[in-house]
Amino acid sequence: MTETMTHTDTVPLRLLIDGQWIDGTGAGLESTSPANPGHVVAAGGTATVDNVRTAVAAARAAATEWAATPMAERGGYLARAAAIITANADAWGGELAREEGKTAAEGTGEVLRAAQILSYYSAESDRLAGEVFSSPRRGEQILVTRKPLGVVGVITPFNFPIAIPAWKIAPALVFGNTVVWKPASTVPLLAMRLTQALVEAGLPAGVLNLVIGSGALGNEIVNHPELDGLTFTGSTGVGRKLAAAAAGRGVPIQAEMGGKNASVVLEDADLELAVEQVLLGAFRSTGQKCTATSRLILQEKIADAFLARLCQRLGEWKTGDPTDSSVHMGPVVSGAAAEQIRAGIAASIAQGARLAFEGDIAGLGDAFVAPTVLELPTGENNAWREEFFGPVLAVRRAPTTEQAFELANDSEYGLSCALFTRDLSKALAAMEQIDVGVLHVNSESAGADPHVPFGGAKKSGYGPKEQGGAAKEFFTHTTTVYLRGA
Ligand code: UN1
């Protein structure tokens, strides 16, 4: 598992079950590079239903001892894994770019972010572990202590193949849960890398189990009678099905799902700053972030100038091989995803959108989508309502601040929003009026720090939020102790 490789090597895929790396005996899986589908990044057998059951049994068997391990020790494994991840950041960042398609700079950044997340949770034992309340009775105190849920299922998407798993698995582990993890089948190599770091850090057998395979394994996990909690990030459709199944079994679930995030540029904004931030928010990671900017709302007075500058700057971006350091934007995750996005763009234009910008992808493969800016005459357009999960920005104009905020709220989703203004009173009004889980003032709509809550309002999420204190809420339950001397 520690081989160094050139980019032409195909890494053998393995599952981790009860501390053993094993070959999955299910159907074969090839993880190919979306920029160059002829390049097989990793290949091997997927997990069978039996593999999943063995993994859950291993997690169950390890749960009591792991819960009894002091939190400081549990954090120690995370700290050691963080150091291993940091040492491999360039190599694994390159693999991430090849496997998922974001640029190598972003890939390395994401690997380092995973290390930062593990470091943050490694220090959890230094933080508040519970609460003490006064008692209305003499000689008594009331304590609120926390215990792990037990065996937690973790189901993660392709778009942050190591950072999202880290921000679910690290809190799950440090708060004393054991884990069965199913990553997206398009990014199994990075899942193996995170698992490898934790194994090399000395994590006891059974505490983390990795099962690689199709979405059907997710059903097996959510329906397993030994499951005590489930954390999911991915599409709204899958999230709702998992949430329904989990609710039916009385299992707590945290589901982070879709977004249709707006950037709002008011007429008093620093326009050059706003252009840069909107570019990053909309097109970095090829727009494949649940926090990406996919709607742009421009106050009428600056709209023409802003759009012209945005399209000019976007014209300077190069789309191509994500491992080429001169490239700004790589492919989307697969040819099939690209086709769907292209169909969405065509439908939007058929519904009346004006094609304000289309980037150059001549000679690139099937998984490339041109960075696209669409100006919409009305909100009756699929580019305004549907999450494309690609490099597509839908623009509308608003005469006033109030109307701009109304447009920002005109979505069933409410994950993040970016507001560009230099007027403090408008920023304060946005805090009250824009209904989102994450609001950025004068920075792009994407991005999340590990010590603060992350998640959406409205239909973007289901169940408790992630990160910081919110993670503690989800991955533990409380015992209220009425403590009186005898
Ligand atoms: C970010 O904005 O950097 O799936 C993180 C997603 C989110 C994470 C976004 N859960 O894109």
Side-chain angles (χ1 to χ4, degrees):
M1 290 302 301
T2 52
E3 69 269 71
T4 50
M5 68 198 66
T6 66
H7 71 278
T8 51
D9 290 332
T10 297
V11 180
L13 288 180
R14 303 251 152 69
L15 319 177
L16 184 80
I17 297 181
D18 202 11
Q20 302 296 314
W21 288 103
I22 63 160
D23 290 321
T25 49
L29 175 71
E30 282 193 346
S31 166
T32 56
S33 184
N36 172 12
H39 174 211
V40 181
V41 179
T46 53
T48 59
V49 167
D50 270 353
N51 291 143
V52 173
R53 290 182 187 151
T54 315
V56 176
R60 170 57 65 212
T64 306
E65 177 54 27
W66 185 244
T69 303
M71 198 184 280
E73 270 179 49
R74 296 195 299 247
Y77 295 108
L78 298 186
R80 287 193 290 283
I84 293 166
I85 292 169
T86 303
N88 286 287
D90 284 335
W92 295 357
E95 290 177 346
L96 199 165
R98 288 193 286 282
E99 186 168 60
E100 193 266 354
K102 66 180 70 173
T103 65
E106 286 182 275
T108 301
E110 187 188 328
V111 172
L112 289 170
R113 184 175 179 179
Q116 183 208 0
I117 292 165
L118 264 61
S119 297
Y120 168 77
Y121 285 106
S122 75
E124 192 56 40
S125 66
D126 296 346
R127 301 192 187 104
L128 208 63
E131 289 169 304
V132 182
F133 289 82
S134 72
S135 168
R137 290 162 291 277
R138 282 180 176 71
E140 183 178 88
Q141 294 200 21
I142 306 174
L143 277 55
V144 179
T145 64
R146 289 186 177 271
K147 292 192 187 74
L149 297 177
V151 176
V152 169
V154 174
I155 300 180
T156 53
F158 75 84
N159 63 326
F160 283 94
I162 190 163
I164 289 180
W167 83 36
K168 291 178 182 295
I169 291 169
L173 294 180
V174 85
F175 291 118
N177 303 280
T178 57
V179 168
V180 176
W181 174 27
K182 193 206 93 61
S185 57
T186 38
V187 289
L189 176 55
L190 266 289
M192 280 174 52
R193 293 305 182 214
L194 176 59
T195 305
Q196 172 187 340
L198 284 156
V199 168
E200 287 179 11
L203 199 71
V207 170
L208 171 64
N209 302 275
L210 171 67
V211 289
I212 292 168
S214 73
L217 298 180
N219 293 333
E220 200 53 42
I221 292 172
V222 70
N223 288 315
H224 198 292
E226 291 286 334
L227 192 75
D228 299 310
L230 182 69
T231 175
F232 166 83
T233 295
S235 74
T236 305
V238 173
R240 287 183 185 171
K241 280 190 194 130
L242 288 172
R249 306 190 71 91
V251 170
I253 179 165
Q254 172 187 62
E256 286 304 327
M257 301 181 280
K260 193 70 204 175
N261 313 298
S263 283
V264 177
V265 185
L266 299 182
E267 60 192 26
D268 71 287
D270 176 336
L271 296 183
E272 204 52 29
L273 168 96
V275 164
E276 286 307 313
Q277 295 296 308
V278 169
L279 270 181
L280 298 178
F283 299 105
R284 215 154 38 167
S285 294
T286 324
Q288 297 175 112
K289 296 183 187 178
C290 62
T291 48
T293 296
S294 55
R295 297 185 299 143
L296 173 62
I297 298 153
L298 300 174
Q299 197 163 0
E300 192 68 60
K301 205 166 137 195
I302 50 90
D304 283 332
F306 189 91
L307 255 184
R309 180 72 180 132
L310 182 79
C311 295
Q312 180 197 14
R313 287 285 295 110
L314 189 52
E316 291 161 17
W317 273 42
K318 187 171 157 192
T319 303
D321 178 347
T323 61
D324 170 348
S325 61
S326 71
V327 158
H328 298 85
M329 202 185 90
V332 295
V333 69
S334 66
E339 206 172 301
Q340 255 191 356
I341 297 164
R342 282 193 290 266
I345 296 169
S348 168
I349 292 171
Q351 291 159 22
R354 177 181 75 85
L355 184 61
F357 181 88
E358 185 181 27
D360 179 15
I361 53 164
L364 298 172
D366 283 354
F368 285 88
V369 176
T372 301
V373 180
L374 298 166
E375 189 168 6
L376 312 183
T378 71
E380 299 312 309
N381 192 293
N382 67 328
W384 187 253
R385 309 248 162 243
E386 287 166 27
E387 187 180 37
F388 284 15
F389 224 63
V392 184
L393 184 59
V395 187
R396 288 179 69 192
R397 300 173 186 226
T400 64
T401 302
E402 290 67 34
Q403 284 160 313
F405 289 1
E406 272 168 30
L407 286 186
N409 280 332
D410 179 27
S411 172
E412 66 168 333
Y413 296 117
L415 182 51
S416 72
C417 177
L419 172 70
F420 295 90
T421 181
R422 284 183 278 208
D423 184 335
L424 180 58
S425 57
K426 293 192 169 137
L428 287 167
M431 284 166 58
E432 288 191 6
Q433 291 167 25
I434 299 183
D435 197 11
V436 285
V438 181
L439 177 67
H440 290 262
V441 180
N442 294 313
S443 60
E444 61 156 308
S445 63
D449 284 325
H451 62 303
V452 288
F454 176 84
K458 301 199 279 190
K459 303 276 170 60
S460 286
Y462 182 89
K465 294 194 175 180
E466 302 183 285
Q467 302 296 290
K472 180 159 72 180
E473 290 293 332
F474 179 69
F475 287 109
T476 61
H477 67 88
T478 56
T479 299
T480 303
V481 182
Y482 293 85
L483 182 65
R484 208 184 292 184

